[in-house]
Amino acid sequence: MLVFTNKNKIDTYISSLKREGNKIGFVPTMGALHEGHLSLIKEGLLSNNVMVVSIFVNPTQFDNVADLDKYPRTLEADIKLLETFSENIVIYAPSVDDIYEGDIKSQSFSFDGLEFEMEGRFRKGHFDGVGTIVKRLFEIIKPDNAYFGEKDFQQLAIIKKLVEKHQLPVIVVGCKIHRETSGLAMSSRNVRLKPEYSLSAPFIYKTLQTAQKKFGTKSATVVTKWVEKQFAKHDLLKLEYFIIADVDTLKTVIRKNKNRNYRAFIAVYADDIRLIDNIALN
Ligand code: PAF
């Protein structure tokens, strides 16, 4: 398996693959790979000859140094997992310097307001960091198609906006959330959950499922209050936010309109580990 750490070298390699007529798919990751990442690669292998997987814990998207320091880093295991998964994978695992060249800063972006909702409200500067790294990776890899999970639904919407506004020549494909059998959305952070939190965390998706049912007959405010009450009673999990939002604008719903589509979004702390999830409501 080819593992590149230098942007010029992977650029040269990918250019030669493209000249030979290969389609390039791309899955950007921060490593600690799990089944959710593999499902994105699998989807990509259906319509691309080669899948590039980047493994890079991007410092500029963390608003909290402790969170960045504790983010799991398992490069060797990640490479082994990809090696056994498919022969048609190329890895790009750059250093911070290869990407930022000594200037670890985000560019500022406008994503037409999508960046001010939910994660943007609770994680200052997060989407400037995501925009910066994803744009840079798209420029290095120049993929035909790029795959992102719907677990980070707001990130997916923002990346589609980034591509549209900067006219980047890549098709962004959103993929369904991959869940553990318990219902817990797969995340690289799950490996850090202590046993009691691991047992409690599926409560997040169970609550989302009940909220989805209630939304059929109740208002967004009633459903939101109900969810907040469930977490207020919970011993271990701390709710940061539960929001029902319009899928296109990501703005919180005030009054339901039957012509619009809605989704519920949640962020919860399990000890010091922040978990997010979401569910379609109609
Ligand atoms: O979703 C992630 O893992 C990251 O935000 C991404 C897209 C790899 C950018 O660092």
Side-chain angles (χ1 to χ4, degrees), residues 60-78:
T60 63
Q61 71 188 75
F62 286 81
D63 60 338
N64 176 328
V65 182
D67 195 24
L68 171 62
D69 287 346
K70 281 189 247 159
Y71 201 87
R73 287 161 172 87
T74 57
L75 184 60
E76 268 180 34
D78 291 345

Side-chain angles (χ1 to χ4, degrees), residues 28-30 56 58 61 130 133-134 148 152 155 159:
T29 82
M30 298 208 295
F56 179 65
N58 173 37
Q61 71 188 75
V130 170
I133 185 62
V134 172
F148 293 84
D152 298 291
Q155 168 173 280
I159 287 162

Side-chain angles (χ1 to χ4, degrees), residues 200-217:
S200 303
F203 180 78
I204 300 168
Y205 184 53
K206 289 209 180 76
T207 310
L208 285 182
Q209 286 177 303
T210 313
Q212 181 192 50
K213 279 198 200 100
K214 287 188 181 286
F215 191 72
T217 55

Side-chain angles (χ1 to χ4, degrees), residues 121-132:
R121 215 177 310 153
F122 288 90
R123 301 182 71 190
K124 291 282 170 237
H126 174 66
F127 287 120
D128 278 340
V130 170
T132 302

